[in-house]
Amino acid sequence: MSHLQSDASDHGPGYPQHWEADILLRDGGTARIRPIVPADAERLVEFYAQVSDQSKYFRFFAPYPQLSEKDVRRFTHHDYVDRVALAVVVRDRIIATVRYDRIDGTGRPSATGTDAEVAFLVQDAHQGRGVASALLEHIGAVAQERGIRRFVAEVLPENRRMTKVFTDAGYVQRRSFADGVVHLEFDLEPTAASLAVMRAREHRAEARSVQRLLTPRSVAVIGVSRQEASPGRALLRSVLGSGFTGEVYAVNAKAPAGTGLEGVALHRSVLEIPGPVDLAVIAVPAEAVPAVVAECGAHGVRGLVVVTAGYAETGAQGRDRQRALVRQARAAGMRVIGPNAFGLLSTAAEHPLNASLAPLLPQPGPFGIFCQSGAIGVALLEAVHRRGLGVSSFASVGNRADVSGNDLLQYWEEDPATEVVLLYLESFGNPRKFTRIARRLATTKPIVVVKGARHTGSLPPGHAVPPTASGLRDATVDALFQQAGVIRVETITDLLDTGELLARQPLPAGPRVAVVGNSDSLGLLTHDACLSAGLRPRAPVDLTTAATGEHFRVALETALSDTAVDAVIAVAIPPITNPGLALPGAGPAADGVGAGDDPALGEGLLHAAATARRLGKPLLLTHLALTELSEVLRGTEEPLPAYPAPERAVRALAHAVRYGVWRRTAEEAERSARVPELAGVDAAAARALVGAALETRTATAARTQPGGARFTLPEEQAAALLGHYGIEVQRALPAADEEEAVRAAGRLGYPVALKATAAHLRHRPDLGGVRLDLPDEEGLRRAHRELAALLGGAVRAELVVQRMAPRGVDTVIGAAVDPAVGAILSFGLAGAPAELLGDVAHRLVPATDQEVAALVREVRAAPLLFGWRGAAPVDTAALEELLLRVSQLVDDLPEVAAVDLEPVVVAQQGLTVLAAGVRLAPLPVRTDLGPRSMSTL
């Protein structure tokens, strides 16, 4: 078995296979990082022979022309704890190494020290590709896993590249100079700066890898057949027909020598192609793909588009073939679109490319389109063409085994030709990463998404996702999109409607809408649609059906100039008196001048559109029976969006309004939002409590249970943990009999509440399991007898006594770790609003002060908190502080899997947490804060 994808059993006990990772380098190429093993001896010697004398001198501080046998053994035999070495491998050859040795405070080898000396060596041909930076991230994560907290490095002053690797990493550093050597020390605990550096490098590498796929200098189509309808033949025609300016090659393993197709010479193997190949488009049977990929790797191909089907969409064996394909391609430095892909295209004037099954290259335009379905991809391209919208680049990636929507988002952020991103998603490979990238991109470019399988949660065959992301709840997806500023729409039609408005009109400054047109009825429908969408429309202005183009111009410009108007919707129907309004098949009248051909109406709308652009306000048209006018308006240099139904126009505008609000809020949050420091937090004590709880017999037993290792803290421990974060839980004392209830009330003080806490009785107010405001012992005894009789006994009902909390609004607060996206903070009003109607709002953790304020106000039942129907408003400031405390707790303590506070009674002054539950789970080996690596699903 190749070491490119090793089996732990090949290397003996203790081999840390989870340290292996595929990585993207700065130039967009791929490589593999893995531990060095004894079998690497020949590879290491070959690697060292390709290193220049200067680089060797920088590594060893002396001339070191070759490695001795002793050196080779020392550098290939490690214990994976105190002595560790990693290699970067491309095409089964080592191109770089890093090693650490654990030392004590005096710099001597140690088995107990928390420092380690680290050293790198990168082949000269691969310096400048970001290899050492990637190695530093991975060796740092390995060292932390082994209990090392600080790296020490000795660097010659003239070795500026290596010094820059350390200083640019973002870690807290200390530097000194002695005896002609720079001494560096840096802590391995991730910092905001080190994470920012890592994310920036990830962004550049992934954007560059997509750019390489979209801008090849040469393309080879492999699997070209003489059959006209074959995929390979269609792909060759697509490349040739796109105006691609580079070299195009065709490959058919059975082609007679000297033959060609479509004017292109046929080669029997990519290895026979005389020049370099940047992109290979593969359309051969699945069983032939491994050999073709091997030849592509040997020839130095940079990227693959695999349209071949027969992979994960066919079942377990196909998934194994798919994983092998990705491993094989990445090991050779190649990225993969597909398999089972429709293809990709770019309309850039300097390098047009159609490496897809689409017969024609769309016109250039503002849309970057990504989809996971070939059928949807065809529909999107056809609709974009029909609307005259245009595309900057497009990718339909099929099974999404390697290149994903996250990669395209990274590229589109840098691409000036892309103004709006349209996505059709059926699954997430890495939702947390999607949120991070999308939130950054959405501050400058709108992202509009249709998410398939919204209600079923089904995963399309062939989609590679981690188990944690396969059951992603739709409410979680909504929270993810909302916080990232992603515009979620319901249909493909809405996707294009909204995208067109965002691409062709400025963002509205608010929800105030003027409706102007020549149909009172259509105006009223538009007005009602605005109200239903949460907009604030004025009463429609009816110009009557006799309105001319000049009437439209004046009325629309008047509305646009009004400072109390943020957007204008024009509504139009054919003039009733126009002879062109003939019904289909009505005879000669159809030859008259139709309403859609009325140049005055079109001219008036275009004049108004120019005014709208000057004023920075969106103008859009909704019409009936004016198809030709719609096409005329879209065909101008400054197109005006036109919709054949008021609901479609209003939905698009409402999405634009909400996106504008999010963007302005995001800009403000960038300046002023913060995660405040909260008084009364003892994080160290909380960590100690969690650590001790994870070592208990209960926690150990939980790890053996199906479904994972989550376990519930006992109530007293849960209250203590929450107390370390300033969250006080109202004490509840058991009341198994009347006497115990009376003693409990004596300790707590009257008035008290008596309630059932058994699991089968919780959240069941209809069963009457609560008695409130019990003023004295007599009332308590009577209530205890009543509940015991009603609920099958005090012990079975698990009756408890609590001191009465001030009256207020019952709410519920929760935080749960979704393995796919991280911790999510939730808020709702207790009882029917949250349980029956699902009226719960969510935010990703850590939440800022502005986010928790929005969270409280987002639920539909929020008016109950702010004085609905004359009631006194409750203390929402205290509520927001509690949400911040819960957010900080789960952010500080990743072992906390869930926190549930219910009910939380929010009074006019202060609040009371009446019940709380906390669940813990051991940490996974790696988290999203780990080093950069590519998915290996």
Side-chain angles (χ1 to χ4, degrees):
M1 178 179 290
S2 168
H3 287 284
L4 299 177
Q5 179 69 20
S6 58
D7 187 322
S9 63
D10 294 346
H11 310 306
Y15 178 78
Q17 191 167 12
H18 66 278
W19 292 353
E20 296 184 0
D22 293 325
I23 61 169
L24 269 177
L25 301 177
R26 183 179 299 156
D27 60 3
T30 62
R32 187 161 186 81
I33 289 181
R34 61 169 177 79
I36 294 177
V37 295
D40 284 321
E42 291 185 10
R43 292 184 184 86
L44 190 66
V45 171
E46 180 186 3
F47 154 74
Y48 196 74
Q50 301 298 316
V51 176
S52 69
D53 290 339
Q54 184 186 51
S55 293
K56 293 173 181 175
Y57 183 84
F58 284 162
R59 168 64 177 86
F60 295 104
F61 297 4
Y64 217 96
Q66 61 185 18
L67 298 175
S68 66
E69 289 187 11
K70 183 178 179 181
D71 291 331
V72 172
R73 177 173 177 79
R74 181 162 60 95
F75 291 143
T76 57
H77 287 69
H78 308 92
D79 61 10
Y80 307 125
V81 178
D82 300 324
R83 293 178 296 107
V84 173
L86 304 179
V88 179
V89 182
V90 177
R91 297 189 181 95
D92 208 23
R93 294 181 177 178
I94 295 175
I95 65 168
T97 63
V98 65
R99 173 188 172 96
Y100 81 65
D101 292 272
R102 191 189 298 264
I103 57 176
D104 60 19
T106 66
R108 296 178 179 177
S110 168
T112 59
T114 57
D115 291 356
E117 187 173 11
V118 65
F120 297 76
L121 187 58
V122 181
Q123 278 184 353
D124 297 66
H126 296 279
Q127 292 178 10
R129 300 183 67 197
V131 176
S133 298
L135 273 175
L136 178 57
E137 291 177 20
H138 283 262
I139 196 69
V142 166
Q144 281 194 292
E145 187 179 322
R146 296 312 195 204
I148 291 171
R149 298 291 174 258
R150 183 173 62 173
F151 271 164
V152 175
E154 306 281 350
V155 184
L156 292 174
E158 56 268 37
N159 191 359
R160 297 184 185 88
R161 270 188 168 171
M162 196 69 251
T163 303
K164 193 172 189 316
V165 168
F166 291 125
T167 57
D168 287 353
Y171 295 108
V172 177
Q173 296 185 19
R174 291 164 292 280
R175 180 189 297 205
S176 60
F177 182 80
D179 300 325
V181 174
V182 177
H183 180 82
L184 295 170
E185 297 179 0
F186 50 96
D187 298 329
L188 297 180
E189 185 68 27
T191 65
S194 68
L195 290 174
V197 168
M198 186 166 63
R199 301 307 185 213
R201 288 170 174 166
E202 173 191 70
H203 167 69
R204 288 193 298 268
E206 292 177 358
R208 176 59 181 148
S209 74
V210 173
Q211 183 185 38
R212 296 205 320 179
L213 291 168
L214 289 170
T215 59
R217 295 162 297 180
S218 54
V219 176
V221 181
I222 304 173
V224 176
S225 169
R226 295 190 178 278
Q227 298 178 11
E228 287 285 337
S230 67
R233 188 74 172 271
L235 288 162
L236 179 61
R237 283 196 294 265
S238 293
V239 175
L240 294 171
S242 66
F244 179 68
T245 57
E247 295 291 333
V248 181
Y249 303 101
V251 177
N252 183 322
K254 299 179 180 179
T259 60
L261 284 173
E262 307 289 344
V264 178
L266 283 171
H267 301 272
R268 284 181 289 188
S269 166
V270 71
L271 296 174
E272 294 182 2
I273 294 175
V277 175
D278 286 343
L279 180 68
V281 185
I282 300 176
V284 300
E287 60 270 16
V289 169
V292 169
V293 173
E295 292 178 352
C296 288
H299 196 67
V301 174
R302 290 182 165 189
L304 306 175
V305 176
V306 182
V307 302
T308 304
Y311 287 89
E313 77 278 6
T314 64
Q317 291 184 343
R319 185 172 296 281
D320 289 341
R321 284 196 297 271
Q322 183 167 297
R323 288 171 175 155
L325 164 65
V326 173
R327 288 197 300 266
Q328 185 184 13
R330 289 178 179 172
M334 300 180 290
R335 297 218 68 182
V336 179
I337 297 282
N340 194 26
F342 185 76
L344 78 164
L345 54 84
S346 168
T347 63
E350 60 274 19
H351 43 72
L353 172 69
N354 183 5
S356 78
L357 293 168
L360 297 174
L361 186 69
Q363 69 184 51
F367 294 110
I369 300 177
F370 173 88
C371 61
Q372 297 173 341
S373 161
I376 298 296
V378 172
L380 283 171
L381 290 175
E382 189 277 331
V384 165
H385 173 73
R386 178 166 30 85
R387 294 183 181 216
L389 295 176
V391 172
S392 62
S393 50
F394 165 93
S396 180
V397 300
N399 292 3
R400 189 183 44 76
D402 180 25
V403 174
S404 70
N406 288 343
D407 296 297
L408 271 296
L409 292 177
Q410 301 274 36
Y411 169 74
W412 284 323
E413 184 177 358
E414 301 294 326
D415 179 31
T418 301
E419 299 173 11
V420 178
V421 172
L422 304 181
L423 305 177
Y424 172 73
L425 303 178
E426 294 174 337
S427 63
F428 289 98
N430 189 336
R432 194 179 311 193
K433 183 176 178 180
F434 172 88
T435 306
R436 172 165 43 86
I437 298 171
R439 185 169 188 171
R440 188 180 66 236
L441 175 59
T443 60
T444 57
K445 299 179 182 182
I447 304 170
V448 191
V449 175
V450 172
K451 173 67 170 64
R454 176 166 191 160
H455 297 292
T456 64
S458 59
L459 189 66
H463 284 226
V465 301
T468 56
S470 61
L472 203 59
R473 294 183 305 152
D474 196 62
T476 302
V477 174
D478 267 338
L480 182 154
F481 284 157
Q482 181 179 14
Q483 202 154 350
V486 172
I487 302 166
R488 183 173 188 172
V489 297
E490 298 294 327
T491 68
I492 296 298
T493 299
D494 287 343
L495 182 77
L496 293 166
D497 285 347
T498 305
E500 180 176 3
L501 177 61
L502 292 166
R504 291 179 166 174
Q505 297 291 300
L507 282 178
R512 301 170 300 177
V513 181
V515 180
V516 178
N518 64 352
S519 168
D520 182 50
S521 298
L522 190 57
L524 288 173
L525 288 173
T526 305
H527 180 273
D528 290 346
C530 286
L531 289 173
S532 297
L535 302 178
R536 291 163 49 193
R538 289 181 165 187
V541 175
D542 181 20
L543 303 178
T544 77
T545 56
T548 64
E550 180 64 12
H551 292 141
F552 265 91
R553 181 190 70 78
V554 172
L556 290 173
E557 290 183 348
T558 299
L560 287 163
S561 299
D562 191 331
T563 57
V565 170
D566 301 312
V568 177
I569 301 177
V571 298
I573 64 170
I576 298 301
T577 58
N578 195 315
L581 187 65
L583 296 175
D591 296 326
V593 179
D597 299 317
D598 183 355
L601 179 56
E603 186 175 334
L605 289 168
L606 290 174
H607 273 294
T611 301
R613 287 192 298 275
R614 178 172 54 81
L615 296 173
K617 295 182 180 181
L619 171 65
L620 53 161
L621 170 70
T622 181
H623 63 86
L624 296 179
L626 290 172
T627 304
E628 294 174 10
L629 176 61
S630 174
E631 293 174 354
V632 168
L633 295 176
R634 282 176 168 152
T636 62
E637 290 186 6
E638 299 288 348
L640 179 66
Y643 304 94
E647 298 81 7
R648 287 174 56 180
V650 169
R651 279 199 301 268
L653 179 60
H655 286 307
V657 168
R658 286 190 288 269
Y659 172 65
V661 171
W662 178 89
R663 202 149 129 176
R664 290 188 294 273
T665 302
E667 291 171 0
E668 173 63 26
E670 188 70 24
R671 294 189 296 269
S672 61
R674 61 193 182 93
V675 177
E677 292 189 14
L678 299 169
V681 173
D682 189 346
R687 289 191 185 96
L689 188 155
V690 168
L694 289 171
E695 297 300 322
T696 63
R697 182 176 301 178
T698 301
T700 303
R703 297 189 185 104
T704 67
Q705 300 302 312
R710 294 188 178 194
F711 69 99
T712 301
L713 276 179
E715 288 185 9
E716 289 187 4
Q717 281 188 295
L721 177 62
L722 292 166
H724 291 317
Y725 276 81
I727 302 170
E728 181 181 353
V729 181
Q730 186 92 307
R731 292 182 66 191
L733 300 179
D737 55 43
E738 284 186 37
E739 300 307 322
E740 190 173 22
V742 170
R743 287 194 298 272
R747 293 171 59 186
L748 297 173
Y750 290 98
V752 296
L754 181 69
K755 63 182 182 180
T757 61
H760 67 285
L761 297 174
R762 289 176 183 172
H763 315 305
R764 292 295 307 275
D766 56 304
L767 298 180
V770 179
R771 296 291 186 271
L772 302 176
D773 280 322
L774 302 175
D776 50 32
E777 179 179 335
E778 180 182 353
L780 176 59
R781 288 182 180 276
R782 183 170 58 253
H784 193 280
R785 290 192 295 271
E786 290 174 357
L787 288 183
L790 177 66
L791 302 175
V795 174
R796 184 171 184 271
E798 298 180 24
L799 295 182
V800 298
V801 174
Q802 274 187 313
R803 183 175 175 81
M804 277 298 300
R807 296 284 186 173
V809 178
D810 288 1
T811 65
V812 54
I813 292 174
V817 176
D818 187 307
V821 300
I824 298 174
L825 184 66
S826 303
F827 169 76
L829 268 64
E835 296 171 27
L836 180 62
L837 303 178
D839 186 18
V840 180
H842 308 275
R843 287 295 185 277
L844 299 180
V845 168
T848 66
D849 53 355
Q850 294 183 13
E851 286 170 339
V852 298
L855 186 67
V856 168
R857 290 156 179 81
E858 187 174 305
V859 294
R860 296 189 298 278
L864 293 172
L865 301 169
F866 296 94
W868 187 62
R869 287 189 173 179
V874 299
D875 193 348
T876 52
L879 181 60
E880 291 167 18
E881 181 182 321
L882 177 59
L883 285 162
L884 286 169
R885 290 183 182 277
V886 174
S887 172
Q888 183 176 340
L889 186 153
V890 296
D891 191 45
D892 287 350
L893 306 173
E895 301 90 347
V896 174
V899 173
D900 296 297
L901 308 181
E902 183 178 6
V904 176
V905 182
V906 189
Q908 294 182 43
Q909 295 292 328
L911 52 77
T912 307
V913 180
L914 293 182
V918 177
R919 280 175 290 164
L920 301 183
L923 279 175
V925 175
R926 291 282 175 91
T927 72
D928 192 47
L929 301 181
R932 290 172 288 156
S933 63
M934 303 169 73
S935 170
T936 55
L937 296 170

